[in-house]
Amino acid sequence: MKTLKSPFSSDDLHTLVNEIKREIQLSNINLDPYSFVSPSAYDTAWLAMIEEEDNVGDDEPKPMFQDCLDWILCNQNAREGFWGNSGRYTPVTDAGYKDGEEGMYILTSTLACVVALHKWNIGSFHLHKGKRYIERSTEMVIEKYGNEDRSYPLWFVIKFTGILELAQQRGIHFVFSSRCIKMIQKMFYQRREILKREKMVDDCNQKPLLAYLEVLPTKLYVENHEDIIVKSLDSIDGSLFQSPSATASAFVLTRNTKCLAYLQNLVQRCPNGVPQKYPLNEALIKLSMVNLIESTGIGEFFCRDIEHVLQNVYSYEEEDIERIPINYLADKLHKDSLAFRMLRMHGRDVSPRRFCWFLNDQETRHHLERNIDSFFLVILSVYRATDLMFPGEHELEEAREYTRNLLEKSRSIDERMIKLELSTPWIARLKHLDHRMWIEDKNSNVLSIGKASFLRLHSSYSDKLYHLAARNFEFQQANYRRELEELTMWVKKWGLNDIGFGREKTTYCYFATATSLPYEYAIRVGKLAAKSGILITIADDFFDEEGCLDDLKALTKAILRWEGEELKGHGKIIFRALDDIVRETAETCRKQHGTDITDHLRNIWSETFESWLREAEWSKKGHKVSMEEYIRNGMISIAAHTIALSISCLMEPCFPQHKLQPGNYDNVTKLLMIIPRLLNDLQSYQKEQEQGKINSVLLHMRNHAGIEIEDSITHIEKIIDSKRKEFLEHILVDELSDLPKPCKEIHMSCCKVFEMFFNKKNRFDSDTEMLQDIKKALYDPVNVYEMEPMPLMGHGDEFMILPLILNHSPKILEFKRKGDYGAMKKFMCLRRSYRGHKPIILPHSLSINISLSRLLPRRENRYR
């Protein structure tokens, strides 16, 4: 395969890092977390429509929140004409079904902004572009994103029909095809059914009808709106379900002072467009930024910022959950579970009680169960937190089972992510591929779920992080490919590629070792680790299948003496390659740390070869062994420690030398030895049974008469689960092991490789099972939508903004006309029902979309 070169150099990468770090300063104590939250065009439009309360001496109404109106004028996509995108946008015509929520959200947001501009008779060109987008996209959105039975998400039906109805009442003109109008009529029928079925207020529903107050027909609440609306306001912040748009409508209807205070606080806190949910858990915002940074593989560039956020969260005094309203508890659970996972991964002492409080809170559990899709991000975060389970943490076991059941019931649009989490546990996934998955997942920047769609981190930050992550990933790919080429040359040099038997796993071994390690470790020791893996594979096959007992004994004796002159054939090739690995490892350690570990390395390898010889003798002589004897030898023959200890010596000068001696290994190393052995046994027992070999699964069944093979498998799985928890505890808790942290990380990476190899099947022995992962890790460019700077409408950059020409038609009209291609279309003339600014009177035939260049010198016209 032809080597691809990275378009980015190391200097380019660090220049980009420094640029982004200047903008994203999580350690800045003056940082406002809401600056990281994406604004909602839809909610901003509803605030822009609120009229100032006091217009004394002024006949014309004025907007209460002028900044919101200005935001609409400055944040339309000039190319397409829509509002509402928060970054990583896929045009409707190119989007797949999974992008449907975004398409619907953009359509309803654009409708709301058009209505807001029309109300204030401002931004004629913006309004024209917005209307054209609506006319062009509505049919595609409705047709593309409807289910087979043409049913749509409840929020879309209510919001789309409600805003369209409002637009009709206010005299806004749209041109839709006859086919599109029929689709819209069906949506109105669906709304009628929804309004009959759903309750205005429902304690069991996170988003009852009242949460969509701004678009509900007035007949639903006109008689007793004070009771329905005011009693539903949040007792703490005065909002209606933390929804700015619904609260704006509540204020217009009731003039409630708590609503007003909420809206004023919202606009003051979020002057550059309001989010679709407010208030938010501020610690959750910061943790979500850190999570995105780490999960996309660029955490190494933001160490100081990450440590600052984690320390603040770690020292934060927890609130009494009994005093927190139910609508805030979901965000708290999300924050607590995310904090637990990140703090535990960073070595902090943190108890599961930090987030498992929800297990004893029946109201929270009931709320989650009734609103699975609304809270699937929270549920998924809890499930991920339980990946890091220590022995005896029964709360985490309960939380994992509980959230797994909920995720299996979820109908979330992010099914791919959920499927991956449930089928491939975190410990069986490699770092490098995980980073790619997060970079490519368009929902990895999601912070929470709002009333209508995902609430995302602000695209001005997240898109830059994605760009950096993608460039960093491809930079790493280029270095991995270069190292793989060098490794392939080494394999050829020592004759391992054409030895004539066994599994040729050069690429497999490098892929697994390098991409499981942190990048800085992979570049230092990944190639050496892969060399050990390649040799172990060939030598294991030699002992298992190719060599006669005399040849195996001769090779083992030569290694014990470390003298291979008398060897011939395959044994000589294996010894010479092994001697090169040991000499290179020892010389590297001597240069870096001034320590000679040659004898330790030879002893570890000698122990490994002795274990292979012992297994060969058992197989060829039909020797009966006990489970204890088999495990004692098998945890050596799997050779996980052979790789981990060899490269751990290179990472730290303070590696305790006595823990390199066979029989005196650290507990972390011993656990690393037994877990891969049992994982391998689960996937190889059938083959070994056919060959007459022994295996822990077969031994357990032999030692317990009357049990089935499935019972034996379950028994071994329980042992693995127990040892895995113990292993994680020793890795993540400093007091349980005196191994340096980098050495622990190498042990963890090595364990993850074996978990990946033997997760539900034997991927290592397959010639094709890992090819796609290898391509993604080493060769394929990152498939990420690179955001161009979004062309935004300014207050007068290219077009004059004139007040709208009012349509004085007294009623809704429909008449037919020929479209450009002869299609019959209906033109909906919709009556204006309120007074606005006095219009500039122009002839009806004169277009108001006048290019500024025709009227004034460039740059001189601006919005007043």
Side-chain angles (χ1 to χ4, degrees), residues 113-128 131 170-173 801-808 832 834 836-842 848-849:
C113 289
V114 164
V115 171
L117 293 179
H118 187 269
K119 175 181 176 64
W120 300 111
N121 295 314
I122 201 72
S124 62
F125 185 75
H126 300 69
L127 192 142
H128 173 74
K131 285 173 61 181
R170 296 190 173 182
I172 301 177
H173 301 241
I801 297 173
L802 298 175
L804 299 177
I805 302 174
L806 300 184
N807 170 34
H808 298 287
R832 187 179 179 89
Y834 64 94
H837 290 295
K838 296 177 181 179
I840 294 177
I841 305 300
L842 295 174
I848 59 172
N849 304 324

Side-chain angles (χ1 to χ4, degrees), residues 280-331:
L280 293 162
N281 188 302
E282 296 185 17
L284 174 60
I285 299 172
K286 292 183 178 181
L287 281 171
S288 296
M289 279 293 288
V290 170
N291 189 45
L292 179 64
I293 288 169
E294 290 198 322
S295 298
T296 53
I298 52 178
E300 62 185 292
F301 305 124
F302 297 88
C303 294
R304 180 168 170 243
D305 296 285
I306 291 171
E307 182 59 30
H308 174 81
V309 171
L310 293 183
Q311 185 56 41
N312 284 348
V313 171
Y314 184 64
S315 58
Y316 180 72
E317 187 173 337
E318 289 299 310
E319 304 170 84
D320 182 1
I321 62 169
E322 293 183 359
R323 301 176 61 184
I324 301 176
I326 186 65
N327 51 313
Y328 288 87
L329 284 177
D331 277 354

Side-chain angles (χ1 to χ4, degrees), residues 523-701:
I523 293 302
R524 288 178 62 183
V525 301
K527 195 164 54 174
L528 259 177
K531 289 179 180 180
S532 296
I534 293 165
L535 186 71
I536 287 168
T537 303
I538 292 172
D540 183 54
D541 288 344
F542 183 59
F543 276 81
D544 261 359
E545 301 168 4
E546 183 68 18
C548 67
L549 202 53
D550 288 342
D551 289 342
L552 303 183
K553 288 180 179 179
L555 176 57
T556 304
K557 286 179 182 178
I559 288 172
L560 289 171
R561 297 193 312 269
W562 213 264
E563 174 55 62
E565 289 299 321
E566 298 179 1
L567 291 172
K568 298 178 182 180
H570 298 142
K572 189 175 186 67
I573 293 173
I574 291 171
F575 181 85
R576 291 177 65 221
L578 174 60
D579 184 55
D580 183 73
I581 292 171
V582 170
R583 281 192 294 104
E584 183 182 354
T585 306
E587 183 62 25
T588 303
C589 188
R590 190 180 299 112
K591 287 180 179 179
Q592 291 181 354
H593 308 310
T595 306
D596 186 359
I597 59 170
T598 303
D599 288 342
H600 290 307
L601 295 175
R602 289 178 175 179
N603 289 337
I604 292 170
W605 280 102
S606 296
E607 177 191 41
T608 304
F609 273 80
E610 281 186 299
S611 71
W612 289 335
L613 176 61
R614 193 173 296 115
E615 287 182 349
E617 290 176 333
W618 290 347
S619 177
K620 294 178 187 299
K621 296 178 180 179
H623 182 66
K624 300 281 186 181
V625 299
S626 66
M627 177 70 88
E628 182 181 356
E629 190 178 7
Y630 169 78
I631 292 296
R632 187 167 56 247
N633 189 76
M635 59 194 289
I636 298 171
S637 66
I638 195 67
H641 74 298
T642 311
I643 300 174
L645 290 176
S646 297
I647 60 176
S648 290
C649 298
L650 306 181
M651 297 305 302
E652 285 289 326
C654 57
F655 188 94
Q657 299 288 303
H658 66 282
K659 294 196 174 182
L660 291 174
Q661 299 171 5
N664 199 34
Y665 299 139
D666 190 272
N667 283 335
V668 172
T669 304
K670 292 176 182 176
L671 290 164
L672 172 64
M673 295 164 74
I674 193 169
I675 293 171
R677 164 47 59 203
L678 297 180
L679 287 168
N680 178 275
D681 286 359
L682 284 178
Q683 303 305 327
S684 62
Y685 74 87
Q686 291 174 311
K687 176 183 176 182
E688 288 168 345
Q689 187 176 34
E690 293 170 359
Q691 296 174 345
K693 297 179 180 179
I694 55 176
N695 176 293
S696 61
V697 176
L698 303 175
L699 280 173
H700 181 74
M701 191 169 66

